[in-house]
Amino acid sequence: MLEIKDLRAAIDGKEILKGITLSVKPGEVHAVMGPNGSGKSTLASVLAGRETFEVTGGSVSYLGEDLLELPAEDRARKGIFLGFQYPVEIPGVSMVNFMKTAINEQRKFKGMDPISASDFLKLMREKKEIVEITSSLTNRSVNEGFSGGEKKKNEIFQMAMLEPKLAILDETDSGLDIDALRIVANGVNKLRNKDNATIVITHYQRLLDHIVPDHVHVLYKGRIVKSSGKELALELEEKGYDWLKEEN
Amino acid sequence: MIYIENIEDMSAEQDQLLNEVTSNDYKYGFYTDVDIDSLPKGLNEDIIGMLSAKKQEPEWMLEFRLKAFRHWQTMKMPAWAHLKIPEINYQDIIYYAAPKRKVQYESLDEVDPELIETFKKLGIPLEEQKHLAGVAVDAVMDSVSVKTTFRETLAEHGIIFCSFSEAVKEHPDLVKKYMGSVVPYTDNYFAALNSAVFSDGSFCYIPKGVRCPMELSTYFRINASNTGQFERTLLIADDDSYVSYLEGCTAPMRDENQLHAAIVEIVAMDNAEVKYSTVQNWYPGNKEGKGGIYNFVTKRGICKGDNSKISWTQVETGSAITWKYPSCILKGDNSIGEFYSVAVTNNHQQADTGSKMIHLGKNSRSTIISKGISAGKSQNSYRGLVKVLKNADGVRNFTQCDSLLLGDQCGAHTFPYLEVDNDTAIIEHEATTSKIGEDQIFYCNQRGIDTENAIGLIINGYAKEVLNKLPMEFAVEAQKLLQISLEGSVG
Ligand SMILES: Nc1ncnc2c1ncn2[C@@H]1O[C@H](COP(=O)(O)OP(=O)(O)OP(=O)(O)O)[C@@H](O)[C@H]1O
Ligand SMILES: [Mg+2]
């Protein structure tokens, strides 16, 4: 469903992604690992359509379409979800209003009528259970004053609400306590099916115990330097990145 | 849809059309007495005399006007640090014109497409669009039946709600007693001008112990036409009464009159409460800053009685230049003054707005929440005064003024003034300046919300505290309005 070919991207003239090739099929989970600053978040941002990054080469096709042609909002409406490494606060905008707007935009895009208030509340209730998030969070403004872990949970809640085809989770596990980690992982697993795919960006093997990946990739200096099965994550946990750095 | 301001016909270019319309059998059929036409341009005592005569005013009213005019002549137009105001030629203005509709266009096709686009976004019905844009309409807004029911209900409660001119004739004692008692004609340049030449406006009296059962809006006022550029409103809430009053219109009102100088006076007696909400969306001029209304308003209320309360809420998105400081004189003990404001400036707009809270009464309290939003090349200033007099013990004030910037060519300025003569006063002031971040917009984009709607969401979130103070139906429109006013300002 996602074909990335030799993707290059730069910011302020500095090239950060230096030719990434990656293929994701429906039903798969891919883990992307790599040292700090290697370009993981940049890759996620470029896929989601953030315009601060300039695509300088390569191509991305998503469900047979040229993804790079689409504005960020259309990518989202077509089922791409990015769980942010650093979710932003939007003061004064309630989660309820935010989610409702997002869902209705998606529905409008698909030619559907806006969701009814009762269906929306039902959906909220259902999804809140999946991620074990309380109303005290969803009644507040978007991420405002949320703790680090709460912000991450809130990302998964939004993912559950929007039911994406391709979810890219950027270090959703960092800053989570053990219970929260389990909850988030369960949330992701519950939403997993044969038609959608997930890219998890993480530094820790422990998340991958819960969300078992089909493929693990190591990103280093803007390139994928190694791809393998889930055992690669264990190997990295044990050996670190130095052996890969030396090879490259 | 609520609107009050009728569109007048006073500019030079309109003279010919005006003559045509008046010499015809007045085919648009609002007024039956079409024998009055406009006075010549210019401002002098003769003109004021004629104006007063045309309005069949009593002698005391003319006296008031002349006194104001003589005083005005001694005054100079004030200069402000943060407003650039072009020279205004007061002799080039027509101060009285027959009440009539401006018929500028034959059909909507002739109207600025951008304006029509805005109307559509606001969801204004077609007939109203025509009305607002100044297109010829046949049966205009024939809501006579609505108005009649409305009037009957008010009459049952003994509430007086009529045009200012009508009040001068029907309720001279009330008008004489209170007109100029809150905003004397000596108050400022524009107040003096208004007092000399005001065209019309609203008058409202809520008797003792009456809770006005509906939101009063000038839309429902019979003979609401032609309030015009020098509008005057007087609102009196007698002991133990309550009223919520709505002024303005969310649709961008076109008006050929560049200069608007209104006065609003509110008097709240013992235990009375007045809520005054305004949405101001006069034509701001085009993107280059051409055209547009200069809006110089003096709005002031007095909490005359103990435990009285006056609450101003305003959403200001229009006009090329806005100059206004809805204020409260807190004379009664335990009286409360509130000011909630959102002021948006975009393109070349300039706004200098804020509030004055004058504490005379013991334990009087005031709250000022001002949210400025600036975009484009605009300048947005908050100017506020909190004054506590010597005998006013136990005063409290809380002021919060926030500025939100979109882009880096606009300006936001804050000028808080404090004059406190009593040690027991507790005055708090908070101020913030923020920008809408690219990261916030991208976050919204990533959830399928396009940039325009994202800005709308963020702005409305920012202004929520103020919007929440508006009556429900107004709030919804105001939200849309904020978003529309800022369209295209973040790219
Ligand atoms: N807005 C920006 N301006 C300048 N440089 C940037 C910007 N965003 C990212 N970079 C640079 O791009 C490189 C890759 O950053 P990126 O955030 O993609 O790393 P990462 O792999 O996600 O790291 P981490 O594991 O720390 O989250 C870094 O050197 C970073 O400094
Ligand atoms: Mg990162």
Side-chain angles (χ1 to χ4, degrees), chain B residues 198-402:
Chain B
F198 70 88
S199 25
D200 208 332
S202 305
F203 176 83
C204 174
Y205 173 78
I206 316 287
K208 283 192 171 105
V210 170
R211 217 188 140 78
C212 183
M214 62 253 284
E215 313 274 355
L216 281 191
S217 112
T218 28
Y219 177 53
F220 290 112
R221 206 190 61 219
I222 292 186
N223 291 339
S225 62
N226 195 25
T227 44
Q229 60 187 137
F230 301 106
E231 199 178 342
R232 190 156 187 128
T233 301
L234 177 56
L235 206 161
I236 303 146
D238 215 327
D239 295 350
D240 305 295
S241 66
Y242 168 84
V243 63
S244 166
Y245 189 96
L246 309 183
E247 165 203 67
C249 173
T250 51
M253 294 291 279
R254 284 272 185 178
D255 192 318
E256 299 305 318
N257 307 304
Q258 274 225 300
L259 175 65
H260 281 240
I263 287 182
V264 176
E265 294 179 284
I266 299 176
V267 181
M269 311 301 263
D270 284 348
N271 307 310
E273 178 176 350
V274 178
K275 250 181 94 101
Y276 195 104
S277 312
T278 307
V279 171
Q280 186 264 118
N281 190 20
W282 291 103
Y283 184 55
N286 67 10
K287 290 208 166 65
E288 283 73 49
K290 284 244 160 60
I293 306 287
Y294 307 155
N295 192 29
F296 304 118
V297 187
T298 309
K299 286 185 166 175
R300 192 176 302 148
I302 180 163
C303 284
K304 206 166 180 175
D306 292 349
N307 311 310
S308 55
K309 178 174 175 182
I310 294 176
S311 187
W312 299 99
T313 305
Q314 59 172 28
V315 174
E316 301 278 320
T317 59
S319 299
I321 304 173
T322 300
W323 175 90
K324 83 187 240 195
Y325 316 93
S327 304
C328 297
I329 300 169
L330 301 162
K331 185 158 177 275
D333 290 348
N334 311 310
S335 58
I336 297 174
E338 293 177 337
F339 173 73
Y340 299 96
S341 165
V342 181
V344 177
T345 53
N346 198 356
N347 299 317
H348 289 266
Q349 280 176 276
Q350 307 174 59
D352 197 301
T353 180
S355 184
K356 293 178 199 162
M357 294 290 174
I358 318 290
H359 292 261
L360 286 87
K362 293 192 175 48
N363 302 314
S364 53
R365 279 167 291 156
S366 60
T367 305
I368 296 175
I369 308 282
S370 160
K371 304 265 181 180
I373 301 167
S374 353
K377 297 191 166 85
S378 68
Q379 295 293 327
N380 200 327
S381 304
Y382 166 83
R383 195 182 297 276
L385 168 69
V386 177
K387 187 176 172 120
V388 180
L389 280 91
K390 205 147 123 205
N391 295 325
D393 294 331
V395 163
R396 295 201 65 144
N397 162 267
F398 175 73
T399 300
Q400 182 181 329
C401 49
D402 298 329

Side-chain angles (χ1 to χ4, degrees), chain B residues 9-230:
Chain B
D9 199 353
M10 294 199 194
S11 79
E13 304 89 67
Q14 299 298 314
D15 279 356
Q16 200 196 334
L17 186 62
L18 194 143
N19 284 331
E20 276 170 26
V21 175
T22 40
S23 55
N24 277 341
D25 289 336
Y26 204 72
K27 55 187 169 203
Y28 306 104
F30 292 93
Y31 264 68
T32 39
D33 51 335
V34 284
D35 48 329
I36 344 162
D37 40 30
S38 61
L39 291 176
K41 278 178 187 173
L43 186 53
N44 54 49
E45 294 201 6
D46 286 347
I47 292 271
I48 291 171
M50 282 193 271
L51 187 161
S52 187
K54 292 250 185 223
K55 293 175 72 72
Q56 299 171 312
E57 288 178 349
E59 188 62 26
W60 57 267
M61 195 63 249
L62 175 61
E63 284 302 311
F64 179 86
R65 289 181 182 275
L66 290 173
K67 264 196 272 178
F69 175 67
R70 286 168 198 147
H71 187 77
W72 179 74
Q73 284 179 305
T74 67
M75 300 172 95
K76 270 210 179 79
M77 180 144 153
W80 294 278
H82 282 270
L83 289 181
K84 286 198 191 76
I85 301 172
E87 189 94 33
I88 297 167
N89 183 354
Y90 294 93
Q91 297 305 334
D92 198 35
I93 293 172
I94 295 172
Y95 290 89
Y96 185 78
K100 75 179 55 71
R101 305 197 59 70
K102 176 178 64 180
V103 176
Q104 226 182 328
Y105 308 105
E106 283 302 312
S107 85
L108 275 179
D109 302 342
E110 299 166 37
V111 177
D112 181 0
E114 255 186 61
L115 194 65
I116 297 302
E117 197 48 41
T118 311
F119 287 153
K120 283 189 190 143
K121 285 179 184 156
L122 280 166
I124 296 169
L126 199 67
E127 283 305 301
E128 277 191 45
Q129 289 187 21
K130 290 184 183 171
H131 169 81
L132 293 163
V135 174
V137 210
D138 321 308
V140 184
M141 311 281 137
D142 203 350
S143 49
V144 170
S145 58
V146 183
K147 286 180 182 174
T148 311
T149 346
F150 189 85
R151 267 225 146 170
E152 280 167 7
T153 316
L154 293 180
E156 271 168 36
H157 289 83
I159 295 168
I160 304 169
F161 185 35
C162 61
S163 73
F164 204 95
S165 312
E166 214 177 320
V168 168
K169 295 190 189 97
E170 309 284 328
H171 311 282
D173 295 344
L174 284 171
V175 176
K176 265 196 257 183
K177 184 165 176 195
Y178 292 109
M179 180 182 62
S181 71
V182 193
V183 180
Y185 62 78
T186 49
D187 192 79
N188 69 68
Y189 189 80
F190 296 107
L193 180 64
N194 176 292
S195 300
V197 300
F198 70 88
S199 25
D200 208 332
S202 305
F203 176 83
C204 174
Y205 173 78
I206 316 287
K208 283 192 171 105
V210 170
R211 217 188 140 78
C212 183
M214 62 253 284
E215 313 274 355
L216 281 191
S217 112
T218 28
Y219 177 53
F220 290 112
R221 206 190 61 219
I222 292 186
N223 291 339
S225 62
N226 195 25
T227 44
Q229 60 187 137
F230 301 106

Side-chain angles (χ1 to χ4, degrees), chain A residues 48 50 52 73 76-77 80-82 84 88-89 91-93 97-98 102 105 143 155 158, chain B residues 438-440 442-451 453 457-462 464 491:
Chain A
R50 191 165 197 155
T52 44
E73 61 270 20
R77 293 163 184 168
I80 291 185
F81 178 88
L82 171 59
F84 285 78
V88 297
E89 303 191 358
V93 178
N97 188 13
F98 184 68
E105 287 295 329
N143 293 321
E155 294 293 292
Q158 293 178 47
Chain B
E438 180 273 332
D439 53 347
Q440 288 174 319
F442 179 65
Y443 193 81
C444 295
N445 290 161
Q446 211 305 302
R447 302 304 187 238
I449 302 165
D450 65 27
T451 300
N453 285 318
L457 262 181
I458 296 168
I459 294 290
N460 282 305
Y462 167 79
K464 193 154 83 177

